Amino acid sequence: MLDAQITAAILGVCLAGAIFYLVRRDHLHGPYAAWWLMVAAATLILGIFPAVVTWLGLLTGIKYAPVLPIIVALSLILLRLLKLDIDRSRQERQIRRLTQKLAILDHELQSLRAGETKPAQAQSTPETWED
């Protein structure tokens, strides 16, 4: 049992060190680093104090306490995936709008190059598009 505690504590410290290294090298930014540092801290705490799992299991009414970290981890993974999907949807919407604005500007530029005196007006201007 002591070996598992030591291994979990070492993993938590190594994970935290890796996160700080990635932040320092500018490979990982603010909110993402905070998320992973919380994971590293939880791993370290559970490695040093394994009785916390038993105590939380009793507190929540779970009969077999070791399943609690698995339930919490899966729930957090699902929440993280939902947030990633929300962020990706927002980025796709921004890319689509930027592409539309670029197409309008390209059309106006081609109209000006063709010698037209007045650029074509779009039905809705880019200023009316909001996120």
Side-chain angles (χ1 to χ4, degrees):
M1 185 65 147
L2 188 59
D3 291 336
Q5 289 177 265
I6 293 171
T7 303
I10 290 172
L11 283 174
V13 170
C14 289
L15 183 59
I19 298 306
F20 285 126
Y21 176 79
L22 290 171
V23 168
R24 185 168 182 225
R25 294 288 181 183
D26 203 27
H27 294 291
L28 190 64
H29 299 283
Y32 304 115
W35 171 266
W36 284 108
L37 284 174
M38 289 186 333
V39 169
T43 305
L44 180 64
I45 289 170
L46 293 178
I48 295 173
F49 307 107
V52 170
V53 175
T54 306
W55 177 75
L56 287 173
L58 290 173
L59 189 66
T60 57
I62 295 176
K63 301 280 187 216
Y64 184 64
V67 82
L68 182 63
I70 295 169
I71 293 170
V72 171
L74 285 175
S75 299
L76 291 175
I77 289 170
L78 289 174
L79 287 174
R80 185 73 179 143
L81 285 172
L82 177 62
K83 185 182 181 322
L84 288 174
D85 283 344
I86 291 169
D87 289 345
R88 191 182 69 193
S89 296
R90 184 181 42 68
Q91 289 174 349
E92 286 177 1
R93 186 173 56 247
Q94 287 175 340
I95 289 170
R96 185 175 54 252
R97 289 180 181 161
L98 286 172
T99 303
Q100 291 170 346
K101 289 178 184 180
L102 181 62
I104 291 170
L105 290 173
D106 187 44
H107 182 267
E108 289 178 359
L109 180 62
Q110 287 182 7
S111 297
L112 288 173
R113 284 186 181 165
E116 293 181 8
T117 58
K118 184 177 177 184
Q121 293 290 326
Q123 289 205 9
S124 64
T125 61
E127 291 81 22
T128 60
W129 296 338
E130 293 182 14
D131 196 298

